[in-house]
Amino acid sequence: MTDNSTLRDKAIHASVLKSLKRDSQQKRKQQRLMYLNQHRKLKEKLLQVNKASELCLLLKMEYLQLQNLINFPKYSEYSIPKKRGGRRQIDAPSEELLLVQKRLNRYFQLVYLGVRPPNVHGFILQVEQDATKANIVENAKVHVGKKAVLTVDLENFFTTISAKRIKDILMSPPFQCNEHIATVLGLLTTYKGRLPQGAPTSPVLSNFACLSLDGALRIWAESNAVNYTRYADDLTFSSDSLFTDEQQEEIRSFIVAAGFTVNEKKLRQRTKNRKQTVTGLTVNSRLNVDRRYLKKVRAMLHDLGVNGIEAATVNHFKLEGAATSEHRKTFVNRLEGSIGFIGQVRGKLDLKYRELLAEFNRLCFSEGEMYIY
């Protein structure tokens, strides 16, 4: 009697779990359809714009404001140091233009999702929970355990893309804007005849500019048993055999034909007996963060545990005076994000990740509440 009762309970339990799983799948499917429908409608709003007045309505601005932004665009020009020497020119739009570009970026991103090649992982809008992921981790995954990894950098990526090229893109599929609207959109998103480094619309527009290149390289890679991914201006190829000079020249020819230039100083082929890195992650035998990254996170945790939040924050930001509450919050959030990234790369069951997370929780939380600020 007891055995029959136990079997019956197990059967009921299994049936309930199956039903819950089915309901959950159905709910996710409905949410996905809802997301797709909402974003399709948003995308169509941009694609249906034919007049400047309609664009003003879409971007929530007055016609006079649009004229001023087109005729007198305001940018702050400055440079910042690059990690490996040299300076990077930044053209930052004014607050007013920035707001308009952010709105445009949302529409451009939704249009790009409809044409995005699966091997592109940089600057992709995540619009639904179960959408295809696109980030530096996904970009590096396919290159794990390969005999050879070839990395190629596109020189002066944004500034190579001209305003004329952006106008041509906007007049072609999938946009097919009329010349007037393409001109207006081009003027709103370019500066001094090119894509500005600093505008929120530049990354997605650069992805559109690379569509033909991505398509050509994807076909070439498939025909040569090679993996290919792109993250912004970083192109990565991996194979179970070394890349010949002829193959490298073929890649270079595709890049030049697409209107870009290879940064020869950053073109590297690395074999398995050397450290292979893709978008900052090592891919030799497994996906992993750089040792220096782990060391930095451990150092932040150690400083926090030994010297306290005030001293750790001052040391991290190299402050001359006392740390503010905002400084402390930023430090803790950055530390938590760095540990989370290690878990994303190495996996949530990884021992090192779990140790770092446990130490962070011990130092920063008391009975589930953040007490460190």
Side-chain angles (χ1 to χ4, degrees):
M1 187 75 174
T2 306
D3 290 343
N4 289 336
S5 177
T6 302
L7 288 172
R8 187 169 60 251
D9 288 345
K10 286 183 177 179
I12 292 171
H13 181 69
S15 178
V16 170
L17 286 178
K18 188 175 181 180
S19 177
L20 287 173
K21 185 178 180 181
R22 185 169 58 248
D23 290 346
S24 178
Q25 288 174 339
Q26 185 64 28
K27 186 176 180 180
R28 284 200 301 271
K29 185 178 179 180
Q30 289 173 348
Q31 286 178 333
R32 178 181 172 84
L33 290 173
M34 181 184 70
Y35 280 130
L36 291 174
N37 191 44
Q38 287 175 347
H39 295 123
R40 179 180 57 79
K41 288 179 179 179
L42 278 174
K43 179 177 73 174
E44 287 175 355
K45 283 185 178 181
L46 174 64
L47 299 181
Q48 291 170 356
V49 167
N50 290 308
K51 297 183 291 186
S53 58
E54 295 171 350
L55 184 62
C56 288
L57 190 63
L58 183 73
L59 298 177
K60 301 175 182 178
M61 61 193 302
E62 298 296 327
Y63 185 71
L64 182 60
Q65 182 188 9
L66 176 63
Q67 283 186 315
N68 286 334
L69 290 177
I70 288 172
N71 295 319
F72 310 104
K74 294 180 181 178
Y75 285 82
S76 298
E77 300 180 32
Y78 57 93
S79 65
I80 58 175
K82 293 182 180 180
K83 285 184 179 179
R84 298 181 180 178
R87 309 284 297 182
R88 175 174 283 108
Q89 178 65 33
I90 302 295
D91 298 314
S94 65
E95 194 171 317
E96 184 182 19
L97 182 55
L98 179 67
L99 180 61
V100 172
Q101 288 176 344
K102 282 182 176 180
R103 288 172 181 161
L104 270 176
N105 181 55
R106 177 76 177 181
Y107 291 106
F108 288 159
Q109 288 278 7
L110 291 172
V111 176
Y112 183 70
L113 285 177
V115 295
R116 173 213 163 203
N119 48 351
V120 176
H121 297 283
F123 312 122
I124 309 297
L125 182 69
Q126 302 292 308
V127 295
E128 47 183 301
Q129 288 182 338
D130 58 343
T132 301
K133 294 180 181 179
N135 49 53
I136 64 171
V137 175
E138 297 301 317
N139 184 68
K141 271 182 180 178
V142 300
H143 304 293
V144 172
K146 294 296 180 179
K147 182 176 181 179
V149 173
L150 179 72
T151 53
V152 182
D153 178 81
L154 302 183
E155 196 166 26
N156 300 323
F157 185 46
F158 285 165
T159 55
T160 298
I161 303 170
S162 68
K164 180 185 182 305
R165 189 168 179 178
I166 294 302
K167 180 182 174 182
D168 290 342
I169 287 169
L170 293 168
M171 292 180 67
S172 306
F175 290 101
Q176 292 186 304
C177 298
N178 61 47
E179 187 173 4
H180 176 59
I181 293 300
T183 301
V184 172
L185 290 173
L187 290 170
L188 285 172
T189 56
T190 59
Y191 180 57
K192 292 184 175 180
R194 53 177 171 71
L195 278 187
Q197 177 101 29
T201 44
S202 292
V204 66
L205 288 173
S206 72
N207 276 342
F208 279 109
C210 285
L211 277 174
S212 62
L213 174 63
D214 291 325
L217 288 176
R218 185 182 176 190
I219 292 170
W220 178 88
E222 288 174 354
S223 65
N224 285 271
V226 167
N227 290 325
Y228 162 66
T229 62
R230 182 177 64 81
Y231 192 99
D233 56 353
D234 292 321
L235 283 61
T236 306
F237 304 84
S238 63
S239 175
D240 291 323
S241 57
L242 293 177
F243 290 92
T244 64
D245 291 342
E246 183 182 355
Q247 286 178 315
Q248 293 185 45
E249 190 54 43
E250 286 174 352
I251 291 170
R252 193 179 281 105
S253 68
F254 283 121
I255 291 169
V256 171
F260 296 102
T261 305
V262 174
N263 186 339
E264 298 293 343
K265 293 179 181 178
K266 292 186 178 181
L267 192 152
R268 295 183 180 91
Q269 177 169 205
R270 289 190 173 93
T271 54
K272 288 200 74 172
N273 59 349
R274 297 180 61 195
K275 182 180 175 183
Q276 296 171 323
T277 59
V278 177
T279 46
L281 303 176
T282 58
V283 295
N284 289 68
S285 57
R286 58 169 289 191
L287 197 63
N288 203 354
V289 294
D290 191 275
R291 288 180 182 177
R292 288 171 295 182
Y293 190 88
L294 273 173
K295 187 177 180 181
K296 180 181 176 182
V297 173
R298 284 200 191 100
M300 290 170 72
L301 270 175
H302 177 76
D303 202 6
L304 179 61
V306 173
N307 300 312
I309 180 63
E310 178 69 23
T313 304
V314 169
N315 293 337
H316 180 73
F317 291 110
K318 297 180 173 61
L319 301 175
E320 294 183 0
T324 65
S325 175
E326 198 60 36
H327 281 131
R328 292 192 292 272
K329 286 181 181 179
T330 303
F331 172 79
V332 173
N333 289 337
R334 185 173 294 181
L335 179 55
E336 184 177 25
S338 297
I339 294 170
F341 178 67
I342 292 169
Q344 182 187 2
V345 175
R346 295 174 64 99
K348 301 299 183 182
L349 298 178
D350 178 74
L351 183 60
K352 286 184 181 178
Y353 161 70
R354 291 167 74 90
E355 287 175 351
L356 292 169
L357 182 62
E359 181 66 4
F360 174 82
N361 289 335
R362 184 184 72 79
L363 292 172
C364 298
F365 288 91
S366 176
E367 298 179 356
E369 294 292 327
M370 179 77 80
Y371 71 90
I372 201 166
Y373 299 153

